[in-house]
Amino acid sequence: MSTVLAASTGLDFSLTQKLFVIALCALTAFISHLALAVFNDGVRPFMLDFIQGRSKRSATTAVSFGLSAGFIFGLGAPMALSSGVLNPWLLFLPTDILGILAPRKWLAPLLGGAWGALVVFGLGGANDVAHDLPVDFLTATQQMSTPILFLFTLFPVLAITRQFGRLRGALAAVLELALVILTMKLWPNVFAGSLAMAAGVLLLIGLAVRKDLAQREADRAAALAAGEQISGPGQGSPESQGSQGSQESTADPMASLFSTSALRLRRHLPLFMVLGAGICVLAQTHIFGGGEATSFLIAKGQYSEAAQVDFYRVFGFVPLIATTALASGAYGIAGFTLVYPIGYLLPNPLLAAVVGAVVLALEVLALSSIGKVLGKLPSVRDSSEYLRGAITETLALAILFGSLLAANVMGGGLGILVVGGLYLLNEAMGRPVVRMAAAPAAVLAGGVLLNILYWLDLFTPLKG
């Protein structure tokens, strides 16, 4: 199996693939314009005010741009250039912004399509120019792949430690390390962290479900004990309690809001089915990766391992996406992102289109039920928050470490000084560029600076 990253091929997409990306960007911008879905989870809570007319289009656009710009230019573009694989930060965050920005329905798909064209036609040219520079910083950025792939493996360990304590976290770490070593020994062609991540995520979910079931049993026992002590007509009767619970449910404003939001999304089910089909087909083409680690796995042709990684990520985002969608009336552009791993594994685009449409339709139809289930499993819901935090923490360290490796390849100590200095300066200035995107952005900026120093005869590129 080839381990050469796709960046070495110059990001060459077929004309059909380019036209498909353009069409999909047009569609996602149109859906964003209608406030039916956005990709940025941070923007989604602001969509309710926009939908209900309490926030103007310009203000919502400013929020979307402020929360997305760092990820687009600091993470999406560098990851695409270093791996040769497109990603959702580069494609869907800009279409969030352009769709909300567009004052007319017909303008939104035009702006989205224009961005898609800029990406598929401009990225390859930028890639070729960068590889011809004296300091080839794009080839250097491929150094990020190994830290990202292996440190990402540890995110279940961090989540278990934070939610269930040091002992269980230590046991999870020993288990994952043993599985990584076993995989490297017995199945050298398989991504070493795939089995370890599976075990870690299953262990976390098992512990959370066990805790919730134990708590429900304890609550039921306490309720029965309390019921035996209550006397008097109607005070503890199931009929009076059921009547009271019904009245509380009817009066619950959040339940009413959730129902309204779910109904709004269901009314546009055909549009969501087209969206699901499009994203699943894009994943099936293998020119797109749904995450940082996934992009490098796709570039190496390890599609089953990429599917595993993105599938595990789903557990960290389902509660967040479901609750924000029900609260705001705007869904995620990729739904629960299940269409990513499914698309990687399907054999042809036609089947991917059918399956993707069905998957996103089922997700939209099941939103209310998922919200109710999550309300009854607080520990599972908490686990998703710990997972998201752990994913962010492991990737932030991996990207920083990989960026410093890239800096060393570009310019040795001077490269580390420039890239590390830009990262630290960003921290000192209050992070105008979000932390996860700051290091890759520093690599690109550092690469440009080293080339300028070369042209000024102040720097000699390292050989090899």
Side-chain angles (χ1 to χ4, degrees):
M1 181 178 296
S2 173
T3 59
V4 179
L5 295 183
S8 62
T9 66
L11 285 158
D12 291 328
F13 306 133
S14 70
L15 180 61
T16 302
Q17 290 170 338
K18 290 177 179 178
L19 293 176
F20 186 81
V21 170
I22 292 170
L24 185 58
C25 286
L27 175 64
T28 54
F30 180 68
I31 290 175
S32 173
H33 173 83
L34 298 177
L36 289 174
V38 290
F39 181 77
N40 194 322
D41 295 320
V43 174
R44 200 171 302 116
F46 294 92
M47 297 304 290
L48 181 62
D49 286 341
F50 178 61
I51 292 168
Q52 296 181 347
R54 294 193 298 268
S55 176
K56 293 183 178 180
R57 188 171 293 277
S58 58
T60 310
T61 301
V63 170
S64 182
F65 181 82
L67 293 175
S68 302
F71 287 102
I72 296 168
F73 301 108
L75 185 62
M79 287 296 297
L81 289 168
S82 61
S83 68
V85 175
L86 301 176
N87 58 70
W89 305 284
L90 184 62
L91 294 183
F92 303 144
L93 287 180
T95 58
D96 280 359
I97 300 168
L98 295 171
I100 298 171
L101 172 67
R104 297 287 184 270
K105 286 184 180 180
W106 60 267
L107 184 58
L110 289 180
L111 292 175
W115 174 259
L118 178 64
V119 169
V120 294
F121 288 105
L123 207 60
N127 184 72
D128 293 339
V129 170
H131 282 305
D132 290 336
L133 292 173
V135 180
D136 184 0
F137 53 87
L138 289 189
T139 298
T141 59
Q142 295 176 9
Q143 296 292 322
M144 291 192 292
S145 63
T146 300
I148 288 176
L149 289 174
F150 280 88
L151 286 176
F152 184 72
T153 303
L154 293 174
F155 77 87
V157 174
L158 269 64
I160 291 170
T161 304
R162 295 227 164 89
Q163 186 172 9
F164 296 105
R166 298 176 183 177
L167 177 59
R168 289 185 174 91
L171 293 175
V174 171
L175 174 63
E176 285 209 6
L177 179 61
L179 290 173
V180 168
I181 295 172
L182 183 67
T183 304
M184 294 176 73
K185 184 69 175 178
L186 300 181
W187 306 288
N189 292 328
V190 175
F191 170 48
S194 57
L195 187 59
M197 275 189 287
V201 171
L202 289 174
L203 179 58
L204 175 65
I205 294 172
L207 290 170
V209 170
R210 179 174 177 270
K211 182 178 179 180
D212 281 334
L213 293 177
Q215 185 61 48
R216 288 177 66 180
E217 288 296 326
D219 292 343
R220 187 179 294 113
L224 289 173
E228 293 175 357
Q229 297 174 4
I230 295 176
S231 60
Q235 281 186 323
S237 66
E239 293 81 0
S240 63
Q241 292 177 359
S243 174
Q244 183 181 358
S246 176
Q247 292 173 2
E248 290 175 355
S249 176
T250 304
D252 185 0
M254 289 306 294
S256 175
L257 176 61
F258 280 16
S259 176
T260 302
S261 297
L263 183 61
R264 177 178 187 266
L265 296 175
R266 288 175 188 170
R267 284 200 299 265
H268 296 87
L269 194 61
L271 194 56
F272 280 110
M273 293 177 72
V274 175
L275 176 64
I279 294 178
C280 198
V281 169
L282 181 65
Q284 193 278 331
T285 62
H286 301 144
I287 64 169
F288 173 88
E292 299 88 347
T294 313
S295 294
F296 290 109
L297 289 170
I298 291 291
K300 293 179 179 182
Q302 297 177 321
Y303 306 133
S304 60
E305 288 87 346
Q308 284 181 277
V309 170
D310 271 355
F311 180 72
Y312 304 145
R313 287 173 67 107
V314 169
F315 294 103
F317 289 90
V318 166
L320 172 67
I321 294 171
T323 52
T324 54
L326 289 170
S328 67
Y331 198 35
I333 282 292
F336 294 142
T337 69
L338 277 170
V339 288
Y340 295 162
I342 291 172
Y344 303 149
L345 299 176
L346 291 177
N348 61 71
L350 181 60
L351 183 59
V354 174
V355 175
V358 171
V359 168
L360 214 64
L362 292 175
E363 289 180 12
V364 171
L365 293 173
L367 265 178
S368 294
S369 300
I370 292 172
K372 292 176 183 177
V373 170
L374 291 173
K376 297 176 181 178
L377 297 172
S379 294
V380 173
R381 193 171 62 247
D382 292 344
S383 293
S384 72
E385 296 180 7
Y386 285 110
L387 275 176
R388 288 199 309 277
I391 288 172
T392 300
E393 191 171 347
T394 52
L395 285 175
L397 176 61
I399 291 172
L400 174 60
F401 186 64
S403 297
L404 292 176
L405 288 178
N408 185 58
V409 170
M410 289 192 305
L414 179 61
I416 293 175
L417 173 65
V418 171
V419 172
L422 288 173
Y423 179 86
L424 292 174
L425 182 62
N426 183 70
E427 290 285 309
M429 293 172 63
R431 297 181 198 146
V433 178
V434 291
R435 176 177 283 174
M436 190 176 292
V443 172
L444 297 188
V448 172
L449 178 59
L450 290 176
N451 276 289
I452 292 173
L453 292 176
Y454 168 81
W455 290 322
L456 294 174
D457 201 23
L458 296 175
F459 171 71
T460 302
L462 300 179
K463 293 183 179 180

